[in-house]
Amino acid sequence: VKTWSPARCRRANASRRACLIARFNFIYAKDRLDAEICLKKFICDIEMVQRIIYIAALESFRAAKKAFWKIKIGVKETLAIGYCGSPASLEIAVLNYIACHKDLYDVCCSVQEVICCMNVNPKLPCPDSIDFNVINCFIRELCSLAFSMQTLAPPLDVAFGIDGELFNRSMYYRSCDSDFTAPFVAYHVWPALMENGCVLVKGEVVTRK
């Protein structure tokens, strides 16, 4: 196992963190809109389209985190054999190893898991109405991003929102078609990106009375 100095670890972590945050913003600005275009061919209701994309984002992070923890357990057990460093340094070594060996992650399994969860989600159209595989590439990109975000210390995650919650201006932007006097969230368009409970990137919601 390659041993890095604490300063080098911090620099590598900060560099990965900046790149992943930029990638998250790009997915929001570009890939999300491309996914909307794909879905609009099958669904005319823009609200339902945005709900599908939001749930796909949440499910992608959930599936990627689940896969990450399974891989992390196996890598940690392997690296711990004969490891002479402290538990904290072993933890960093595990994260660095996974970050450098992304081929350990079978993203296709996570994509299929996300699509299966969306097919049984009562808030979304039934599978006969829409095949969520049309946004397969979007889900794949989100899963890959979410997995990489788990290799940071601390990891990054997205906030889980609930319809009808009080609008929080420190966590969300209002969508342009919102009622700007409404205090409650009608539905979520995009999740906020979080680090240790703090908002790094605001999400987007629609507010209505």
Side-chain angles (χ1 to χ4, degrees):
V1 179
K2 181 165 59 176
T3 303
W4 290 4
S5 68
R8 187 179 177 189
C9 286
R10 285 194 294 270
R11 287 195 301 270
N13 192 74
S15 178
R16 285 207 308 266
R17 179 179 178 274
C19 290
L20 292 172
I21 292 172
R23 192 170 154 199
F24 181 83
N25 287 330
F26 182 83
I27 291 175
Y28 168 71
K30 175 72 169 56
D31 295 357
R32 176 183 65 92
L33 299 180
D34 291 343
E36 279 190 13
I37 292 170
C38 290
L39 289 169
K40 283 177 182 176
K41 296 175 184 177
F42 306 93
I43 302 172
C44 297
D45 184 358
I46 184 60
E47 177 179 329
M48 182 54 67
V49 167
Q50 291 177 332
R51 283 181 180 273
I52 290 170
I53 289 173
Y54 175 73
I55 290 174
L58 295 185
E59 290 293 343
S60 296
F61 268 79
R62 183 197 60 76
K65 287 190 294 181
K66 178 180 171 184
F68 175 82
W69 284 108
K70 287 182 178 179
I71 292 170
K72 184 181 177 183
I73 290 170
V75 171
K76 193 170 187 177
E77 288 175 350
T78 302
L79 297 188
I81 300 172
Y83 191 83
C84 300
S86 66
S89 63
L90 174 60
E91 190 75 15
I92 296 298
V94 169
L95 295 179
N96 287 331
Y97 184 90
I98 298 174
C100 294
H101 296 81
K102 293 187 176 71
D103 55 314
L104 292 169
Y105 177 42
D106 186 356
V107 67
C108 293
C109 288
S110 289
V111 171
Q112 289 308 309
E113 184 178 339
V114 170
I115 291 173
C116 287
C117 289
M118 293 175 70
N119 282 334
V120 297
N121 191 309
K123 291 185 177 180
L124 301 183
C126 65
D128 294 336
S129 305
I130 174 69
D131 182 0
F132 295 119
N133 273 297
V134 296
I135 55 171
N136 180 294
C137 293
F138 173 70
I139 295 171
R140 184 186 182 92
E141 185 65 18
L142 277 170
C143 287
S144 176
L145 173 67
F147 184 86
S148 294
M149 285 181 166
Q150 305 315 300
T151 65
L152 299 173
L156 304 185
D157 199 359
V158 289
F160 181 84
I162 302 172
D163 291 352
E165 67 179 311
L166 189 65
F167 173 70
N168 182 347
R169 68 177 63 253
S170 66
M171 184 174 286
Y172 298 111
Y173 294 109
R174 293 180 198 259
S175 185
C176 59
D177 56 347
S178 293
D179 180 341
F180 282 76
T181 63
F184 299 107
V185 174
Y187 66 93
H188 297 73
V189 176
W190 191 248
L193 185 65
M194 312 291 289
E195 181 184 57
N196 271 350
C198 298
V199 179
L200 288 181
V201 180
K202 287 185 180 182
E204 182 181 344
V205 297
V206 173
T207 55
R208 290 183 188 143
K209 289 182 179 177

